[in-house]
Amino acid sequence: MQEKRSDPVRGRGSVLLFSGVFFLFAAIAVIGYVSANPHACYGAGDCVHYTAMTEAFRAWTPTTIPFPFNTRVLAPFLASLFPYEITDSFLILNLICVILFLVFLALIIWELELGSVDYLLIGLWFLLHPSGFPTYYANPKLVDPLAYAIFALVILCYIKNWRFFLVISLIAGLLTKQTFLVLALLITLADLMFSSKVRFAKDFDCDAKRNFCFFVGIEKRTVYFLIGLYFAIYLTLDFLKAVEKEAFPLPFYPAPSSLGTIIHFLKESLREPFRIIVWFGSIFSATGFFLVYVYPAKRALQFALKSKVAFFLFIGSLAFLVLGLLGGSDMTRIIFNGNLLILLFVSLLAKAGTFSKTFHFAAVTLSAAMMLLYTHFFPTAFEYAYYVGHDVSGISIFLMIMSLFSLMLVFARHHLLDEAQ
C-alpha cells in the first residue's frame, strides 16, 4: 500500500493562514460599512427603484417599477425584513453579503487548491477596488453585494458538484439579477462538453453510436440535471412574471427587454466604433491586466480545455467581457460582475506555471496601483463621461498608460519565461 502524502495546501498552517486572512477581510468590511456615508438617493438612479420596492414589501402594496428592476425582488425583500430605516437595512444586508462572499471565496480557493496568497489578492480586489464593495458604502441601496455572494455560492456549488444546491442558488440569483441566466448557460455549455462520451469526431465510438438518440452519448445524469435546472428556471421566470403583474407592474408598455437592450448597444457599438475603445478601457479598469495574463490566447485555451472547472471559468471570463460591450454605459460594473470568474482563472493559470511568480506579483501590484489611482484621475467612470458628453481625452490618457504597462508586462513575461527555460 502506498503511503498517502500530505497535501501542503490542506495543512494546519494553511487553515490558520486562511482564517487570519478571513478575519482581516472581515475587519476591513466591518470598518467600511460602519464608517459608510451614503449619498442621497433621488432622481432616476437605480437606488430609487429598490427603495420603492422595499417600501412596497413593508406595506405589502403594489407599486409600479420599471424593467428590469421590478424582477430583482430578493434584495429589497430581505432589506424589508430589517426593522430599521431603509438605508441602514441595506447597509446591514450588504455587510452580511460581504461576509458570506468572503466565506464562499475561501472555500472556492480551498477546493481549487490555491493558496492563501490567492485568497488575499482576490479578496482585496473586491474589498478595495473602486468598482467593488466600496461602491456600496456610498450607494448601499443596490442589489450587487447580494449578487456577488450568490455568484460565489454558484461557483462553489459547481466546483463541488453539489447539483441540488447549484439549482437552488441559481434560483436565488435569478431573483436578484438577470445575470444568472448567463451563468446557467455557461454551466450548460461546460457540462455538455465535459460529460459527453463523444469528444470531437475522432472519439466517436460504438457505445456512443448506440446511444446517439440520447444526446449523442451525453451522460444521463447530466441530461437529468439540465432538464431539472431549466424546469426550475422556467418556474422562477414564471413566478417573476406573476410578481411583475401583481406586485411591481411596469409604468408603461411595451418595455425594453434584456435582449432588445443588448441588440441596441451592439448596433450602437458598430455604428460608433470608439465605444469599443471605451470598452477596452473598462476591461482594464475592472480586471487589471487580465488580457496580458491570457496572452497568447492559444496557451490559455489549451489550459482551459484540461478540466471542466477551468473551462467554465474561462468561458465565463470571456462572456462577461463581451457583456460589458453590450451593456451600454455601465460597462465597468457589468464586467466587474464576472470578476470572480476572471480572477480565479488567472490564479489557476499562475498555479499551472504558465507564467512566473515574479510576473504574477508585478502584474497584480501594477494593477492594484492603477485601480486605486483610478478614482483620483476619474471621479466617475469614464464610460459615463463618454456617453454623456463624449469626452475622450481622459479615456485616451488612461488607455495609453495601461497599454504601456501591458507592453512592459508582456516583454517581462517572455523574458522571465526564457530565463526559466
Side-chain angles (χ1 to χ4, degrees):
M1 180 182 294
Q2 291 183 342
E3 184 180 351
K4 187 177 180 180
R5 292 183 297 177
S6 61
D7 187 345
V9 177
R10 305 286 184 177
R12 182 172 178 269
S14 290
V15 174
L16 293 175
L17 279 172
F18 270 79
S19 301
V21 173
F22 170 76
F23 283 111
L24 170 65
F25 285 166
I28 293 173
V30 170
I31 292 171
Y33 280 96
V34 167
S35 60
N37 185 21
H39 297 160
C41 181
Y42 58 88
D46 297 2
C47 58
V48 173
H49 307 304
Y50 298 128
T51 300
M53 291 173 72
T54 307
E55 292 172 344
F57 275 121
R58 286 181 171 177
W60 215 249
T61 56
T63 303
T64 55
I65 302 290
F67 179 85
F69 309 103
N70 63 341
T71 62
R72 301 171 181 176
V73 296
L74 187 55
F77 172 72
L78 293 175
S80 72
L81 301 179
F82 293 99
Y84 306 107
E85 191 270 331
I86 292 179
T87 300
D88 292 335
S89 297
F90 268 95
L91 281 171
I92 294 171
L93 174 63
N94 291 347
L95 179 58
I96 293 171
C97 291
V98 174
I99 301 299
L100 289 175
F101 172 84
L102 296 172
V103 171
F104 298 147
L105 176 60
L107 294 173
I108 290 169
I109 297 291
W110 190 268
E111 287 300 319
L112 293 178
E113 298 188 350
L114 298 170
S116 53
V117 173
D118 296 288
Y119 185 30
L120 182 68
L121 293 175
I122 297 174
L124 287 177
W125 196 261
F126 276 86
L127 287 172
L128 300 179
H129 193 290
S131 295
F133 287 116
T135 298
Y136 310 103
Y137 303 160
N139 197 359
K141 290 183 279 191
L142 294 172
V143 303
D144 298 78
L146 178 60
Y148 289 157
I150 298 175
F151 204 107
L153 178 59
V154 169
I155 295 175
L156 176 63
C157 291
Y158 188 74
I159 293 171
K160 294 284 290 182
N161 206 29
W162 292 340
R163 292 188 163 178
F164 174 77
F165 293 108
L166 177 59
V167 174
I168 298 300
S169 57
L170 281 171
I171 291 173
L174 287 172
L175 297 175
T176 305
K177 219 169 184 182
Q178 311 92 300
T179 307
F180 287 86
L181 273 176
V182 177
L183 273 185
L185 292 174
L186 296 172
I187 288 168
T188 303
L189 182 58
D191 263 32
L192 289 178
M193 181 167 180
F194 281 87
S195 69
S196 177
K197 298 174 186 176
V198 181
R199 293 288 183 84
F200 310 107
K202 64 180 180 180
D203 294 329
F204 196 85
D205 55 21
C206 294
D207 181 53
K209 290 177 183 177
R210 288 194 300 269
N211 234 355
F212 186 81
C213 62
F214 201 76
F215 292 88
V216 198
I218 295 170
E219 294 176 0
K220 292 183 179 179
R221 61 180 181 176
T222 298
V223 176
Y224 296 149
F225 161 67
L226 293 176
I227 291 173
L229 171 62
Y230 281 93
F231 182 66
I233 290 175
Y234 169 78
L235 292 178
T236 305
L237 295 179
D238 194 59
F239 168 74
L240 288 175
K241 286 181 181 178
V243 169
E244 180 180 303
K245 181 180 178 181
E246 302 296 335
F248 302 118
L250 296 172
F252 55 85
Y253 292 88
S257 65
S258 298
L259 182 60
T261 303
I262 287 173
I263 293 173
H264 167 75
F265 282 113
L266 175 60
K267 291 179 179 178
E268 290 296 303
S269 298
L270 296 175
R271 185 180 63 83
E272 194 173 348
F274 195 84
R275 294 184 186 222
I276 298 175
I277 298 177
V278 178
W279 171 59
F280 272 103
S282 293
I283 291 174
F284 279 125
S285 299
T287 69
F289 294 99
F290 169 75
L291 295 176
V292 179
Y293 277 105
V294 297
Y295 175 81
K298 181 180 179 182
R299 183 178 297 170
L301 180 59
Q302 288 173 340
F303 174 78
L305 291 173
K306 290 181 179 179
S307 71
K308 184 173 73 171
V309 171
F311 182 72
F312 169 66
L313 296 175
F314 178 66
I315 60 175
S317 301
L318 296 181
F320 277 90
L321 293 180
V322 172
L323 280 176
L325 177 63
L326 305 179
S329 61
D330 213 8
M331 290 180 178
T332 304
R333 272 184 61 196
I334 292 173
I335 295 171
F336 204 93
N337 283 337
N339 225 9
L340 186 54
L341 295 167
I342 294 169
L343 295 174
L344 287 173
F345 182 68
V346 165
S347 297
L348 286 178
L349 281 174
K351 178 189 172 187
T354 57
F355 41 77
S356 71
K357 291 182 179 179
T358 305
F359 170 82
H360 186 49
F361 178 80
V364 169
T365 303
L366 286 172
S367 294
M370 289 302 301
M371 294 313 104
L372 292 175
L373 289 171
Y374 171 74
T375 51
H376 176 73
F377 293 111
F378 304 100
T380 59
F382 56 70
E383 65 262 35
Y384 286 118
Y386 169 71
Y387 274 82
V388 174
H390 292 270
D391 179 17
V392 299
S393 57
I395 306 170
S396 302
I397 295 170
F398 180 79
L399 281 175
M400 184 172 63
I401 295 172
M402 298 299 281
S403 299
L404 179 62
F405 276 129
S406 297
L407 287 172
M408 291 169 57
L409 286 171
V410 168
F411 286 125
R413 177 183 175 187
H414 284 288
H415 176 70
L416 292 168
L417 285 175
D418 290 340
E419 282 189 350
Q421 292 172 357

